[in-house]
Amino acid sequence: MSLYGTMRTGVSGMNAQANRLSTVADNIANANTTGYKKASTQFSSLILPSTGGAYNSGGVTTDVRYSISQQGPFTYTTSATDLAINGQGFFIVTGADGIEYLTRAGAFTVMDDGSMVNSAGFKLMGYQYSSTADPTIVVNGFDGLSEINLSSGSLSATGSTGGALDSNLPSNEPVGYTKTTSLVAYDSQGNTRLLDFIYTKTADNTWTLDVQYNGASIIDPGVQTLNFDADGKLTSPMSIATVAQTINGANFAALNITIGGSTQLNAEFNVSNGKINGNAASEVVGYEISSDGVVSLKYDNGKLEPKYRIAMANVQSPDNLKPLPGNVYAQSNDSGVIVMGYAGNGGYGSILSGALEDSNVDIAEELTSMIEAQRNYTANSKVFQTGSELMDVLVNLKR
């Protein structure tokens, strides 16, 4: 056995325990870091071949591993843009370098330019929302992603295009009976336009319907004749249309209004369904993010307008992702390729709005590891010290 080998073995043991203590220090320092995943030190022995009955002491090497796939507990907040993932997957963010990264740190804030930025300065990425179809996902890449930006939603008005009006017309009223009801519509600038719907009985099972704005008929092509069968059900027409107009510089679009649910029964005049789409000018008062990642603007009139769909990503071996500063991860050779998807489907977790994923560090466990590392470091130093003392004995033999 070589005394120098003994001393080198003690040094390797001290280095290994110092590495372990470094991961413990990082874990404790980031115990309150949102989305942080703890690091651990794994030990592996180094054994040298023994020759001629002499034992050659080897040493120990370390490998740092990350518990990225281990989910942390949740803390609930009052901010709708604080996001956590319940299950598998990562948010996709971009840094100042323009490169996309993965993260579980979802403490996002809407900045003055409309971007959603987390506490490390990374911007959230997603797809433009479509009500007709999900965006096409490039499964193994980030193509098609765009920065989620909510700056365009400060004030919004939507002009009316259609609606419905289902009424019961009293069958026991005499010919010439007239009844008027009204609905509010909106032009392209959000101005309210009050429409009067005038019903007049002209014969048994026959009525006329006129739609007027400011006392002038706007029905297309003219006053409509409503025909009912013997059971009081409307037979024709099933819908009516108005003509488009320009009022004080604003466009008041043609409206298609369904009336197929109207009846003629021996009861009082009654509107069972009356509505027209569109809305007046409204300000954004907040945001709502659904469990499947749809980001919507919330206006002061209660309307929600979907704007983006948050994209998610995953890899085959999350624990082998490459950790980078800012609590983000990059693909490595051992992690597998990045696969894109949406929250709530394809094995991806759901998104919790108003929540944050805490660090998965267990302080009690880390303090225990700290004590173990300290004791083991001391023991390895004793090995080095003993080898050094034996070297002194050997050197002093010549005296």
Side-chain angles (χ1 to χ4, degrees), residues 162-228:
L165 181 61
D166 297 325
S167 305
N168 178 67
L169 306 178
S171 61
N172 59 340
E173 294 293 345
V175 172
Y177 170 82
T178 296
K179 187 66 176 180
T180 301
T181 191
S182 302
L183 290 176
V184 171
Y186 303 92
D187 64 24
S188 59
Q189 296 179 0
N191 299 299
T192 58
R193 305 298 175 186
L194 186 64
L195 303 182
D196 294 325
F197 294 77
I198 304 170
Y199 297 90
T200 302
K201 187 171 183 178
T202 57
D204 290 340
N205 299 334
T206 305
W207 296 68
T208 59
L209 173 59
D210 190 17
V211 181
Q212 296 184 1
Y213 172 69
N214 276 350
S217 179
I218 59 170
I219 202 166
D220 184 22
V223 176
Q224 299 289 309
T225 299
L226 309 184
N227 300 301
F228 296 87

Side-chain angles (χ1 to χ4, degrees), residues 76-77 79-84 287-291 351-355:
Y76 292 91
T77 72
S79 174
T81 57
D82 282 340
L83 306 177
Y287 311 94
E288 285 196 10
I289 301 174
S290 65
S291 60
I351 292 179
L352 301 179
S353 176

